Amino acid sequence: MPLLETQVLELKDGQKVELSAGTVEHSLNGQKFYGYAYNQQFPGPVWKVQKGASLRVHFTNDLDVSTTVHWHGLRLKNEFDGVPMVTQPEVQPGQSFDYELVFPDEGLFWYHPHVREDVQQERGLYGTILVESQETQALPVQKEVLVLDDVLMESGELVPFENRANFALMGRYGNVMLVNGKAEYALRAVQGERVRLHVLNASNARPFSLAIPNTQFKVLGSDAGFYAQPFFADHLVLGPSERAIVEVLFEEAGEYKLFNSTPVTQYTLGTIRVASSATPMEGLMESFSSLSANIISMQEYASLQAFTNSPYDFEYELTLDWKPMSGMHGPAMMNSMHSFEDGIEWEDAMAYMNGFTTSDDVTWIIRDPLTKKQNMDLTRTVKKGELKKIRFKNLDDSPHPMNHVIHVHGNRFVVLSVDGKPNERLVWKDSALIPAGATMDVLVEFSNPGTWMVHCHNAEHLESGMMTQILVAE
Ligand SMILES: [Cu+2]
């Protein structure tokens, strides 16, 4: 099937929409290759809905493999969470499944498979849902959804997959950077006019550090809400599945570059062409520079922040079981490569060896340090309505310590502290990037009953076991 342009659809409360997963012919840098897409679009359609609305989705699987749809970040009914064996059976080829979605939070959410995420997401299955309040919808600013991704290409094709995940050690880092499915992303803007960017990292493994030189990001929000106090930043770091809401104002007309600018390398992701405007800049800059606080968020977060110094309720350790092939010395070898900075693996500096590691010989682990139970053999139980302080300790004594992105399904959390340092910028999240060796304390609001996954959003780590469950009892 040919690839179609990504549609942006404004959907009404209660509307029923059709979504299908199928095979398409992708095109990248003039090379055509076989892949997947939702509704023949890559990324899949952007759905715009109002906070508080609901949608019904009739999903059809036109692939030749089974799949499900996970609605990332939505606090929806457990039965629609899209986790095979836990919330629903896999949707077989030719079959369909009806999902009911609700949108209690503002932000950019997204949908992707929860079956062989390493293959299906890389082949092109993801799309976004922009949820805004009526007031945010009415703001007179240009709004853009930016989906960051990377794909690993060789001889004009995606590097082959296996019947179990390959690249299991670090995950599949790509060599072609994509924004909204394009290797050469282009955006138009007007001098002095604010552009609001909703950014998602949809890659399998790569952390991005987004930058637009000669501008600053006014950082407004994260995965599932706004900061009480916006702030300015040069870089926007997003681990796989994390999102951000930022605004940019271009003071001068001309051409700006969008970079993935990490401590170890820099890639050009796209170009922003800014048309000149006759409007005087001073007033516009002044209003952009003002960082007015959100009083309601401030009060809400202050009550959560009070947990920063209280003891944690339970703990997870993040580690690895892997026996390096003879002649390889895990951490020593890794540290000799210049890919690692601040506990983040920005690049796969040993892709050749990584490519040979599979989920058969690598087990990524999330475990209870007390019982040593791990991954899907471990279920914790909490009660609906409870706030639980959970410690994630990313151990640095494994054969390959690296960053993970912890994703909690169906419920939201705030990061209270990292390595004992209190987080001054609380915000509602569903995914958080934890550097190698770091200890992160989060406060999860278990508002939603059901059995929910807690897992690493590195797709290859997930396929290599790094997933556990929490039962939220009524
Ligand atoms: Cu991981």
Side-chain angles (χ1 to χ4, degrees):
M1 297 283 245
L3 196 63
L4 307 175
E5 277 294 302
T6 297
Q7 283 182 306
V8 180
L9 301 170
E10 304 208 357
L11 301 176
K12 292 192 176 58
D13 184 21
Q15 200 166 332
K16 186 173 181 185
V17 280
E18 298 284 337
L19 187 74
S20 65
T23 56
V24 291
E25 192 177 67
H26 282 281
S27 174
L28 214 51
N29 295 330
Q31 290 176 309
K32 298 201 178 302
F33 61 94
Y34 150 91
Y36 297 161
Y38 285 121
N39 289 7
Q40 282 178 258
Q41 299 162 37
F42 176 59
V46 181
W47 294 342
K48 292 189 169 180
V49 297
Q50 213 172 80
K51 180 181 172 178
S54 63
L55 283 183
R56 292 182 298 149
V57 181
H58 181 68
F59 171 71
T60 308
N61 181 9
D62 293 330
L63 302 169
D64 54 6
V65 292
S66 62
T67 189
T68 60
V69 189
H70 170 58
W71 309 92
H72 189 115
L74 296 187
R75 294 188 290 144
L76 41 50
K77 268 195 185 163
N78 190 249
E79 62 194 284
F80 303 119
D81 196 41
V83 179
M85 263 87 90
V86 179
T87 70
Q88 69 166 96
E90 292 185 8
V91 185
Q92 299 299 322
Q95 308 254 292
S96 29
F97 191 90
D98 290 302
Y99 293 97
E100 287 177 29
L101 312 184
V102 291
F103 307 99
D105 304 303
E106 260 194 272
L108 182 69
F109 299 88
W110 64 301
Y111 52 96
H112 63 73
H114 226 280
V115 177
R116 283 305 299 268
E117 227 171 291
D118 63 316
V119 181
Q120 298 191 3
Q121 212 172 280
E122 177 83 353
R123 281 196 170 140
L125 288 181
Y126 56 72
T128 53
I129 307 174
L130 180 59
V131 185
E132 293 182 311
S133 66
Q134 203 172 356
E135 298 74 54
T136 317
Q137 277 181 338
L139 286 174
V141 297
Q142 181 183 346
K143 293 174 187 165
E144 302 291 339
V145 170
L146 258 59
V147 185
L148 313 180
D149 190 9
D150 62 340
V151 284
L152 186 60
M153 305 287 295
E154 194 178 61
S155 316
E157 297 283 339
L158 292 174
V159 168
F161 302 92
E162 296 178 23
N163 58 6
R164 67 269 204 253
N166 50 8
F167 296 90
L169 192 57
M170 273 102 97
R172 185 181 280 246
Y173 283 68
N175 52 10
V176 180
M177 304 296 128
L178 303 179
V179 178
N180 295 353
K182 294 186 171 63
E184 288 180 3
Y185 173 75
L187 178 69
R188 289 185 181 278
V190 178
Q191 183 187 15
E193 289 184 10
R194 286 146 67 196
V195 182
R196 182 174 286 213
L197 305 174
H198 287 271
V199 192
L200 156 70
N201 178 352
S203 73
N204 283 26
R206 177 183 296 276
F208 277 82
S209 177
L210 197 68
I212 306 174
N214 304 316
T215 66
Q216 287 237 300
F217 292 123
K218 184 173 177 177
V219 185
L220 302 173
S222 182
D223 303 336
F226 293 96
Y227 293 92
Q229 180 68 63
F231 57 96
F232 282 100
D234 297 326
H235 289 79
L236 191 63
V237 174
L238 294 175
S241 87
E242 285 189 297
R243 286 92 69 207
I245 307 168
V246 300
E247 280 185 359
V248 185
L249 185 139
F250 301 97
E251 235 177 305
E252 307 285 339
E255 196 178 276
Y256 292 75
K257 290 285 178 203
L258 186 66
F259 287 127
N260 177 21
S261 181
T262 77
V264 305
T265 188
Q266 180 165 287
Y267 299 90
T268 305
L269 300 177
T271 307
I272 304 162
R273 288 193 179 79
V274 177
S276 61
S277 159
T279 316
M281 283 301 119
E282 295 84 53
L284 300 169
M285 280 311 292
E286 205 172 299
S287 77
F288 181 69
S289 303
S290 79
L291 295 168
S292 51
N294 179 332
I295 304 295
I296 296 167
S297 302
M298 214 169 235
Q299 289 165 343
E300 186 180 28
Y301 292 136
S303 67
L304 304 173
Q305 206 145 25
F307 287 83
T308 304
N309 295 316
S310 56
Y312 57 85
D313 293 292
F314 51 84
E315 185 177 11
Y316 291 110
E317 286 176 344
L318 311 179
T319 188
L320 165 69
D321 186 9
W322 172 52
K323 284 154 199 69
M325 288 169 263
S326 60
M328 287 184 184
H329 305 287
M333 178 173 171
M334 180 197 68
N335 292 336
S336 70
M337 306 286 181
H338 197 68
S339 62
F340 221 83
E341 202 67 53
D342 308 324
I344 311 256
E345 192 136 25
W346 296 101
E347 292 295 326
D348 177 359
M350 32 189 223
Y352 182 75
M353 187 216 57
N354 182 27
F356 284 109
T357 61
T358 74
S359 47
D360 285 352
D361 38 66
V362 169
T363 304
W364 282 103
I365 293 167
I366 173 165
R367 77 176 169 213
D368 175 357
L370 300 175
T371 63
K372 302 290 178 198
K373 278 197 174 181
Q374 67 184 48
N375 297 351
M376 289 300 274
D377 292 333
L378 170 64
T379 303
R380 305 226 193 225
T381 304
V382 299
K383 280 204 203 76
K384 184 187 165 188
E386 283 183 325
L387 289 168
K388 289 286 187 194
K389 184 170 171 179
I390 305 178
R391 173 162 290 183
F392 290 96
K393 203 169 181 184
N394 191 354
L395 301 184
D396 59 5
D397 61 353
S398 82
H400 187 99
M402 83 175 270
N403 48 278
H404 299 285
V405 173
I406 286 304
H407 170 44
V408 179
H409 282 211
N411 296 272
R412 55 183 185 169
F413 65 80
V414 293
V415 175
L416 291 176
S417 66
V418 179
D419 290 331
K421 189 172 171 284
N423 178 16
E424 304 294 340
R425 290 172 176 151
L426 260 52
V427 69
W428 286 118
K429 291 181 69 60
D430 52 62
S431 307
L433 178 64
I434 308 182
T439 296
M440 181 181 280
D441 287 348
V442 306
L443 189 70
V444 188
E445 178 206 69
F446 287 106
S447 58
N448 203 359
T451 299
W452 302 101
M453 299 300 111
V454 175
H455 68 83
C456 180
H457 221 288
N458 178 310
E460 285 72 22
H461 291 184
L462 170 61
E463 290 303 318
S464 305
M466 203 167 199
M467 170 158 85
T468 184
Q469 45 194 355
I470 295 184
L471 166 64
V472 182
E474 285 271 18

